[in-house]
Amino acid sequence: MSLGTPKPSPATASFSSAGPLTRGAYPELTTHALVVGYFLGALIALSIGYAALKLGFSIEGSELAAILGFGVLRGVLRRRSIVENNIVQTIASAVNGASSGLMFSVPAIFILGYGTELNPYVIAFGAMAGAILGIAFIIPLRKHMIDFERLTYPGGVAVASILRAPGAGIVKAKLLLGAMALSALVHGFVLYYQAEYFDLFGWLDGLMGVDIFPEYLNGIWFVSLMTMGVGYIAARGGLAFIIGGFLCYWLLAPMVDLAGLLPIEAGEVVTNPSRLRVLLFQPVGIGMLIGGAVIGVAFAFPLLRSAIAAMQSADKARSIAASDEMPIRFLYIAVIASTILLGVMAVSSTSEVGLVRGVLMALLGTAWVWMSGIILSEAIGRTNWSPLSGMTLIAVTLLIIITQSMGGMDRGPAIVAAVTVGAATCVAMSQATDLMMDLKTGYLVGATPRQQQIGQMLGAWLGPILIVGLVYVLHQAYGLGSEALPAPQGQALASMVDGILGGNVPVEKYAAGAMLGALLSAVFGGLGITVGLGFYLPFSIVLTYSLGSLLREITDRKLGERWSEHKGIPVAAGFIVGEALVGVAFAVNTIVAAS
């Protein structure tokens, strides 16, 4: 049964290797697509959300959804429409859009100790409003960015290649499911025997009976197929992140030691890697994240100006291709309604906000979503890199400034209000970039933009409910910010908020990091943020991640890039999903056992 009236696809004209592959009016936005999209979206959102809390990364779910969608639609349901499968991945990735948006922001409230003051219903509804806002703002830019400017969107092209590979999707789905089973088994064993970390240098020292390696050199590995899978998928894209980590512990730490500049606590020289990270590398890493994000925004201003002009052109062009897009009047209504909902959410997040601050926060959040959505869509269209976390850091900083205006709010309510509204804007930015990538895929396979836009709207409400629930479950089981669940992006945001409100910012380290991050990002877009993340995250994650990247390099060189894309990536994706699902299952079991 069709939910919409399938419009004759632009793909009906002809078949070519570069053009759309479908013929005739294939089913597109159907009940089958909606149900399968919801199911796969829920599975992917929970998996990637968990991975983001463990590693500090979030990956796009579109490719994973396309592979799994092939397996379900073609292998199980025997349906053969390429555009229907495209709608499945659109809906599934829309559900997953909340995972990166909320996992970068909400954990900060728990880490700062104000989790009990957070209203889960307010933040879930606020995230839904943010999602609709992000979608409504980005739809008018489709024609300019995809039809006219023809931005690359490498992620969207990769998904299109999966959808256009007849039969290959089923093979990929089998590989993914096999890898899922293996990863789940390994992670279950690791959790049961509490063997998540392996100290290689300590083991070698014990083997030889003498301490060869200095403690700060840090040879502790995170035992995780999921982390290797993420490194494999990122390939050379994660090289700067790896360099950042090795630079800290294997180059800077020995140099600081030789210079006699290691930190001192309670009269003792600090050589423990975890303390060195907290005292030295983490603050510099935060500064690099902020400096890299700020310079990225400054450099994107010309793009912003051209995108605004494109918005006006796209609006005029609607008379020619009005049936391609959702009605512009509907988008205006969506923007206004979502802005009002943001204001209601800000006012109701805590009693100290008040009407004036609430309106200011809603207007700032809406303006930031519009501007950053354009910047991020341009960035991901040209490089496949999205500085989402950096834009969120800046948004929350601006919101904190509003909370301290007009007499200033107390610390707890200020944090809850700013991060709650910031989370909604983060979800909006995530949905905007995700939709633009999916529209690029749809453009390549001959899908109807209007059907995809409706599918994105239909999928955007589910993610916030799932992710907010997941955050509460995992916090109760492990504790956000703990060794078991570090939530690195949440810690970065919490440190910045804590520093701003407490006046205890390690200014010199932040400033040094900010200058370094800005310099690196000026040389190469996004470099400051990725290197800074290597400074910020635990080195055990960097070590295991580097194994995945190394394996990708080996398979690319020895077996060919085609093998990596068609065999290696599905296996790596299976590693991520299998370990994440077992992690969530252990969390639920821990809560049930404790109660």
Side-chain angles (χ1 to χ4, degrees):
M1 182 180 73
S2 174
L3 294 177
T5 304
K7 175 179 173 292
S9 164
T12 56
S14 62
F15 176 95
S16 75
S17 60
L21 298 182
T22 60
R23 291 174 188 275
Y26 283 110
E28 196 165 354
L29 182 56
T30 63
T31 304
H32 288 88
L34 190 61
V35 173
V36 175
Y38 280 152
F39 172 72
L40 296 181
L43 185 74
I44 293 168
L46 293 175
S47 304
I48 293 180
Y50 175 80
L53 289 177
K54 291 286 280 189
L55 308 178
F57 292 101
S58 180
I59 60 174
E60 294 293 339
S62 300
E63 193 168 326
L64 200 52
I67 294 170
L68 288 171
F70 243 105
V72 176
L73 281 184
R74 293 205 176 189
V76 179
L77 301 177
R78 304 294 180 190
R79 300 176 71 83
R80 303 181 61 81
S81 167
I82 189 173
V83 288
E84 188 180 35
N85 200 351
N86 179 58
I87 284 291
V88 167
Q89 68 87 14
T90 300
I91 295 171
S93 63
V95 176
N96 177 56
S99 63
S100 57
L102 291 173
M103 290 311 187
F104 286 168
S105 49
V106 175
I109 296 179
F110 290 89
I111 291 168
L112 290 166
Y114 297 101
T116 55
E117 297 179 25
L118 181 67
N119 185 328
Y121 301 104
V122 169
I123 201 154
F125 278 108
M128 289 180 207
I132 300 300
L133 196 59
I135 294 168
F137 268 139
I138 213 66
I139 284 175
L141 290 174
R142 185 196 71 82
K143 273 197 171 298
H144 173 72
M145 290 187 174
I146 295 176
D147 288 11
F148 299 147
E149 198 172 345
R150 295 181 185 275
L151 296 182
T152 309
Y153 289 100
V157 174
V159 174
S161 71
I162 293 171
L163 295 175
R164 292 190 301 191
I170 295 174
V171 175
K172 291 176 181 175
K174 288 178 180 175
L175 286 171
L176 187 145
L177 291 173
M180 259 178 67
L182 174 64
S183 179
L185 190 67
V186 171
H187 194 53
F189 178 86
V190 165
L191 287 178
Y192 185 79
Y193 288 102
Q194 298 182 343
E196 283 190 284
Y197 297 95
F198 172 62
D199 185 356
L200 176 64
F201 291 166
W203 179 74
L204 288 174
D205 283 346
L207 202 64
M208 290 181 281
V210 59
D211 290 341
I212 297 175
F213 302 99
E215 187 181 18
Y216 55 68
L217 211 52
N218 199 354
I220 300 172
W221 297 70
F222 182 36
V223 182
S224 164
L225 288 178
M226 175 175 72
T227 309
M228 286 180 61
V230 172
Y232 188 92
I233 292 174
R236 293 181 184 177
L239 186 60
F241 163 67
I242 296 171
I243 290 172
F246 278 87
L247 194 64
C248 287
Y249 297 93
W250 288 16
L251 184 63
L252 290 180
M255 289 174 64
V256 171
D257 182 28
L258 286 174
L261 297 175
L262 285 172
I264 296 175
E265 273 190 332
E268 298 286 333
V269 175
V270 177
T271 57
N272 180 282
S274 298
R275 290 304 299 160
L276 278 178
R277 174 174 165 256
V278 171
L279 297 172
L280 196 58
F281 302 130
Q282 199 173 50
V284 176
I286 291 171
M288 291 177 74
L289 290 174
I290 296 171
V294 169
I295 205 71
V297 172
F299 275 38
F301 244 85
L303 298 176
L304 174 63
R305 194 168 48 196
S306 82
I308 292 171
M311 238 174 147
Q312 295 165 344
S313 302
D315 186 45
K316 290 177 184 173
R318 291 207 53 75
S319 58
I320 301 171
S323 60
D324 277 358
E325 316 283 357
M326 290 184 71
I328 193 73
R329 186 177 302 173
F330 175 82
L331 299 181
Y332 289 149
I333 294 171
V335 169
I336 294 169
S338 299
T339 305
I340 293 172
L341 197 52
L342 270 184
V344 172
M345 182 186 71
V347 172
S348 57
S349 63
T350 169
S351 58
E352 286 190 33
V353 172
L355 183 60
V356 177
R357 280 201 195 93
V359 170
L360 284 175
M361 293 174 86
L363 292 176
L364 173 69
T366 302
W368 190 253
V369 167
W370 173 70
M371 188 184 78
S372 57
I374 294 169
I375 294 170
L376 294 178
S377 294
E378 288 269 1
I380 205 166
R382 295 179 190 277
T383 66
N384 210 36
W385 167 78
S386 169
L388 179 64
S389 57
M391 301 300 278
T392 304
L393 282 174
I394 298 172
V396 173
T397 302
L398 295 173
L399 290 165
I400 285 282
I401 292 171
I402 290 180
T403 65
Q404 297 310 297
S405 63
M406 293 172 281
M409 294 168 56
D410 290 338
R411 176 185 167 84
I415 290 171
V416 171
V419 177
T420 299
V421 179
T425 61
C426 192
V427 171
M429 292 183 272
S430 175
Q431 287 288 348
T433 52
D434 175 69
L435 175 58
M436 200 54 88
M437 275 215 312
D438 289 345
L439 288 172
K440 176 69 177 190
T441 303
Y443 173 80
L444 294 173
V445 302
T448 313
R450 184 190 182 103
Q451 301 283 316
Q452 281 193 276
Q453 292 157 8
I454 294 172
Q456 188 86 15
M457 291 266 189
L458 291 175
W461 66 271
L462 180 57
I465 297 173
L466 293 173
I467 297 300
V468 170
L470 181 66
V471 166
Y472 273 85
V473 167
L474 293 178
H475 179 64
Q476 196 173 339
Y478 301 122
L480 293 171
S482 66
E483 192 72 27
L485 206 64
Q489 298 284 6
Q491 283 199 49
L493 183 57
S495 299
M496 190 197 67
V497 170
D498 203 28
I500 293 171
L501 292 175
N504 58 349
V505 182
V507 177
E508 71 288 351
K509 292 171 187 164
Y510 279 12
M515 285 190 284
L516 182 58
L519 182 64
L520 291 174
S521 286
V523 172
F524 188 85
L527 187 61
I529 292 180
T530 44
V531 175
L533 209 52
F535 271 62
Y536 183 79
L537 286 175
F539 191 52
S540 57
I541 289 176
V542 179
L543 283 172
T544 308
Y545 177 98
S546 65
L547 270 187
S549 297
L550 181 62
L551 275 176
R552 177 63 180 273
E553 192 66 26
I554 291 172
T555 57
D556 278 355
R557 287 171 182 262
K558 300 294 182 185
L559 302 173
E561 292 184 5
R562 185 175 174 78
W563 188 96
S564 298
E565 291 171 4
H566 291 270
K567 302 285 176 62
I569 288 179
V571 170
F575 284 168
I576 296 169
V577 177
E579 183 170 323
L581 291 183
V582 168
V584 174
F586 261 72
V588 173
N589 181 61
T590 302
I591 294 170
V592 171
S595 61

